[in-house]
């Protein structure tokens, strides 16, 4: 479905997804838009299947066009049998021509309801019962429901059945975005506070958590910039509140000094880092996987960190929850490295919270005057207390410090504290080894492997099943789960690394761990792999 910014294409695509979900299908929706308030070309692609999908295909069965650009720019997606449903006043040609302005004028409806006319016409063309459309509108149209139903009904009655979509005997599954899955995972992990300055593609995470702050019992705050975001989050955490922040690459640049403070002062925090193309502003509303090495190395000095890269809503939920657990247990910063494709994509997803593993409790300190915030321990993790503990002074210090938190430049103490942080990193690595840190999909007994990370996993799994490739996705990227990864690769020969950046950042990380790729497929135009494109590109390097 396509139109210009301001036509409500995202909302309309979501309604089409809900209609197909209520017809028994599992759905995935990709939304494409330039960084413009009005104008430009916006479009949403909704894919429906009896099984879950997380990537689009190039050809489409239906086109819903609110303007001529939608037909002209996507003509290559049209094949024999594709049904085009158009605003008859804006678009030349089309199978179903709906006189949208006439209907809106006759019903006294505002222009933004034009997409409801086309959704009505689509439902009839797809053989979907009116009752399903009416139920979806009743559940998901927040304003002007009666008027929207009127104009949708006019579109429905003007159309006819062209390409019937068989109704399946399956209950609708919840449709959530990746941002919502991350938010729910943070809440499941015990989130107390979320602090963020809005930045695509994680802005909707801020909105989601703010809307649900009361029910979730969390504090949500929007300060003046990302420096304030990170420092405020560290203040929350020092006071004992499990806290996360959200941003994308530009904002994370500003947070990196605070990230080092988190590492040096051993104050836990979770950073949700949504990737988009850079450098600098780049293309703010498009997607990329180009911040992996930035996430692995951001900040001055050496300190352990957790970096996870979920690829779908289930992984986003699980590893957002686990990131909070692990960050607090080991008193380290954690980064949830996602991207626009995951953050703003919508997926059918059932999230059974009971299946999420937990990392275990925090090592609590004994209150009293002898408390040492940075006590040297065998695993490098010091017992934790927060200000307000009876008779206890809880020091925090970014300067090199001793066990009590007192500033020092003594070389012996400095070395001991560096070794303490290193032992803590090893303890975190051991904890990750006990968790499902590597996902395996595709054709699981295949002798060739696709290795990927983040949101490319869905396209890789589909192509892997079609072209006989095992898919191996390390969900945790630091500390790298080397033994699990090698076990997942066991028995494979050719190894193709698929990622959405130009330098091969995962490929370089694998090389550090002694794993060499035989070929690579990279994409860096701001758009995610479709299943067809990935299959074609893979055929060029691994026929």
């Amino acid at each position: 479905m396509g139109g210009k910014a301001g036509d409500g294409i995202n909302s309309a695509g979501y309604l089409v997804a809900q209609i197909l979900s209520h017809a028994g299908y599992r759905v995935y929706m990709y939304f494409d838009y330039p960084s413009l308030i009005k104008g430009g070309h916006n479009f949403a692609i909704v894919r429906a299947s009896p099984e879950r999908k997380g990537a689009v295909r190039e050809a489409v069965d239906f086109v819903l066009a609110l303007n001529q650009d939608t037909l002209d720019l996507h003509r290559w997606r049209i094949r024999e049998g594709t049904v085009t449903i158009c605003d008859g006043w804006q678009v030349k040609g089309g199978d179903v021509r709906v006189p949208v302005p006439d209907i809106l004028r006759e019903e006294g409806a505002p222009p933004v309801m034009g997409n409801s006319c086309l959704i009505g016409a689509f439902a009839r063309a797809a053989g979907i019962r009116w009752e399903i459309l009416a139920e979806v509108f009743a559940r998901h149209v927040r304003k002007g429901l009666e008027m929207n139903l009127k104009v949708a009904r006019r579109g429905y009655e003007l159309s006819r059945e062209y390409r019937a979509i068989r109704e399946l005997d399956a209950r609708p599954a919840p449709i959530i975005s990746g941002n919502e899955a991350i938010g729910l995972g943070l809440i499941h992990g015990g989130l107390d506070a979320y602090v963020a300055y809005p930045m695509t593609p994680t802005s909707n995470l801020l909105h989601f958590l703010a809307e649900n702050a009361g029910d979730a019992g969390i504090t949500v705050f929007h300060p003046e910039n990302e420096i304030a975001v990170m420092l405020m989050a560290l203040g929350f955490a020092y006071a004992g509140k499990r806290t996360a922040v959200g941003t994308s690459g530009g904002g994370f640049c500003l947070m990196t000094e605070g990230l080092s403070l988190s590492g040096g002062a051993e104050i836990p925090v979770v950073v949700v880092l949504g990737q988009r193309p850079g450098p600098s502003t780049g293309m703010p509303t498009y997607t990329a996987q180009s911040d992996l090495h930035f996430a692995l190395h951001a900040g001055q000095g050496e300190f352990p960190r957790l970096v996870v890269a979920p690829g779908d809503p289930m992984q986003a939920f699980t590893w957002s929850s686990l990131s909070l657990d692990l960050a607090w247990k080991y008193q380290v910063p954690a980064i949830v490295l996602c991207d626009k494709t995951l953050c703003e994509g919508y997926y059918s997803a059932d999230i059974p919270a009971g299946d999420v593993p937990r990392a275990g409790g925090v090592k609590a300190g004994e209150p009293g005057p002898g408390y040492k915030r940075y006590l040297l321990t065998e695993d490098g993790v010091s017992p934790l207390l927060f200000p307000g503990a009876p008779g206890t002074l809880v020091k925090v210090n970014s300067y090199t410090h001793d066990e009590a938190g007192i500033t020092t430049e003594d070389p012996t103490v400095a070395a001991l504290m560096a070794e303490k942080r290193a032992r803590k990193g090893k303890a975190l690595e051991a904890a990750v080894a006990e968790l499902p840190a590597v996902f395996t999909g595709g054709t699981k007994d295949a002798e060739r492997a696709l290795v990927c990370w983040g949101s490319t996993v869905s396209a890789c799994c589909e192509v892997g099943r079609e072209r006989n490739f095992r898919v191996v996705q390390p969900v945790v990227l630091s500390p790298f789960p080397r033994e699990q990864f090698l076990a997942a690769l066991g028995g494979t020969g050719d190894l193709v690394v698929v990622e959405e950046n130009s330098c091969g950042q995962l490929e370089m990380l694998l090389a550090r761990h002694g794993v060499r790729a035989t070929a690579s497929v990279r994409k860096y135009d701001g758009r995610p792999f479709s299943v067809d494109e990935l299959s074609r590109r893979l055929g060029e390097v691994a026929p």
Side-chain angles (χ1 to χ4, degrees):
M1 180 164 196
K4 61 182 185 303
D7 283 341
I9 299 302
N10 193 17
S11 300
Y14 180 76
L15 287 173
V16 170
Q18 285 287 357
I19 288 170
L20 294 167
S21 177
H22 279 68
Y25 290 86
R26 299 297 175 255
V27 299
Y28 166 69
M29 188 183 106
Y30 165 73
F31 181 46
D32 189 300
Y33 60 104
S35 181
L36 295 170
I37 302 299
K38 297 198 76 171
H41 176 57
N42 289 14
F43 67 95
I45 300 179
V46 178
R47 188 174 179 204
S49 168
E51 299 87 30
R52 285 193 177 84
K53 305 292 182 186
V56 299
R57 302 210 71 128
E58 291 177 344
V60 296
D61 296 314
F62 295 89
V63 175
L64 281 68
L66 278 167
N67 62 9
Q68 190 65 45
D69 280 352
T70 305
L71 270 193
D72 292 345
L73 296 174
H74 299 276
R75 202 170 293 280
W76 62 280
R77 300 182 187 275
I78 295 174
R79 61 183 177 181
E80 186 177 353
T82 298
V83 181
T84 52
I85 301 164
C86 308
D87 179 339
W89 283 92
Q90 301 292 331
V91 183
K92 296 176 183 175
D95 300 304
V96 182
R97 297 178 56 77
V98 182
V100 172
D102 295 344
I103 292 175
L104 297 179
R105 186 179 63 255
E106 290 164 14
E107 299 293 344
V112 74
M113 291 188 184
N115 52 40
S116 292
C117 294
L118 294 198
I119 292 173
F122 157 73
R124 183 70 174 275
I128 293 172
R129 291 181 291 119
W130 171 256
E131 289 76 13
I132 290 180
L133 183 150
E135 182 183 352
V136 167
F137 272 46
R139 287 189 180 197
H140 300 285
V141 175
R142 295 184 179 180
K143 293 182 180 177
L145 172 61
E146 187 176 345
M147 186 62 75
N148 271 290
L149 280 171
K150 276 186 179 181
V151 298
R153 186 77 197 191
R154 292 285 301 273
Y156 192 88
E157 291 171 347
L158 277 170
S159 186
R160 66 175 177 82
E161 184 174 307
Y162 281 83
R163 190 187 180 106
I165 296 176
R166 181 171 56 89
E167 204 169 317
L168 301 181
D169 184 22
R171 293 171 60 85
I175 299 175
I176 63 171
S177 69
N179 274 328
E180 290 169 344
I182 292 168
L184 292 171
L186 292 173
I187 292 169
H188 180 268
L191 184 73
D192 293 308
Y194 183 75
V195 192
Y197 185 85
M199 197 169 185
T200 304
T202 57
S203 299
N204 290 337
L205 174 57
L206 171 61
H207 301 159
F208 173 72
L209 290 174
E211 286 173 3
N212 293 283
D215 292 338
I218 60 176
T219 299
V220 177
F221 203 89
H222 167 188
E224 68 273 24
N225 59 40
E226 285 87 351
I227 296 173
V229 165
M230 180 57 99
L231 296 182
M232 184 175 285
L234 296 180
F236 270 119
Y238 168 63
K241 300 298 183 184
R242 288 194 174 204
T243 308
V245 305
T247 189
S248 62
F252 189 57
C253 289
L254 297 172
M255 292 181 179
T256 54
E257 188 174 10
L259 192 81
S260 283
L261 173 55
S262 167
E266 304 189 39
I267 306 172
V269 68
V270 171
V271 180
V272 180
L273 173 52
Q275 296 170 98
R276 62 194 210 186
S280 191
T281 306
M283 294 190 290
T285 59
Y286 289 92
T287 199
Q289 294 184 323
S290 52
D291 291 339
L292 170 56
H293 283 250
F294 185 27
L296 293 173
H297 303 290
Q300 73 273 32
E302 299 170 322
F303 54 91
R305 70 189 70 193
L306 177 73
V307 179
V308 303
D312 62 26
M314 277 303 304
Q315 292 181 359
F317 177 81
T318 299
W319 284 97
S320 297
S321 175
L322 274 170
S323 292
L324 267 176
D325 263 2
L326 291 165
W328 255 257
K329 183 172 182 178
Y330 295 98
Q331 302 164 37
V332 296
I335 298 170
V336 179
L337 188 59
C338 41
D339 56 45
K340 187 263 184 186
T341 304
L342 173 63
C343 289
E344 296 190 347
Y346 279 93
Y347 306 75
S348 293
D350 291 305
I351 295 184
D355 291 348
V356 175
R358 302 307 297 250
V362 172
K363 186 191 296 184
E366 284 290 330
Y371 175 68
K372 292 181 178 178
R373 172 64 187 88
Y374 300 106
L375 181 71
L376 295 173
T377 60
E378 188 174 343
D379 64 1
V381 180
S382 305
L384 192 57
L385 282 178
F386 303 106
T392 308
L393 184 62
V394 181
K395 289 269 190 183
V396 64
N397 197 340
S398 69
Y399 213 103
T400 297
H401 45 257
D402 63 11
E403 288 181 284
I406 305 297
T407 296
T408 182
E409 292 180 346
D410 181 289
T412 302
V413 176
L416 286 172
M417 284 297 158
E419 289 159 8
K420 164 184 156 56
R421 290 191 295 272
R423 290 199 301 278
K424 190 164 63 166
K426 288 293 182 186
L428 175 62
E429 185 177 341
V432 167
E434 298 298 317
L435 295 168
V438 177
F439 169 80
T440 306
T443 306
K444 294 187 178 180
D445 59 353
E447 295 180 352
R448 303 186 295 177
L450 293 180
V451 179
C452 61
W453 62 288
S455 67
T456 55
V457 68
S458 294
C460 284
C461 282
E462 202 165 340
V463 172
R465 288 189 292 272
E466 291 177 0
R467 299 180 64 92
N468 197 34
F469 277 86
R470 189 184 311 182
V471 174
V472 179
Q473 174 212 1
V475 183
V476 179
L477 298 169
S478 177
F480 191 75
R482 186 173 186 274
E483 299 307 317
Q484 273 192 50
F485 183 76
L486 293 177
L489 281 182
T492 58
D494 290 346
L495 190 157
V496 182
V497 178
V498 177
E499 51 189 323
E500 290 175 348
N501 58 66
S502 65
C503 295
Q505 297 194 18
L506 176 62
E507 196 173 335
M508 286 190 274
L509 177 62
L510 296 180
R512 287 188 208 169
H513 293 276
V515 178
R516 297 285 178 181
T518 52
S520 60
V521 178
R522 301 173 189 165
K523 184 173 172 68
Y524 35 86
D525 60 2
R527 277 69 175 175
F529 281 110
S530 70
V531 174
D532 310 271
E533 180 187 10
L534 179 56
S535 181
R536 213 164 39 240
R537 298 273 308 276
L538 184 60
E540 295 169 1
V541 299

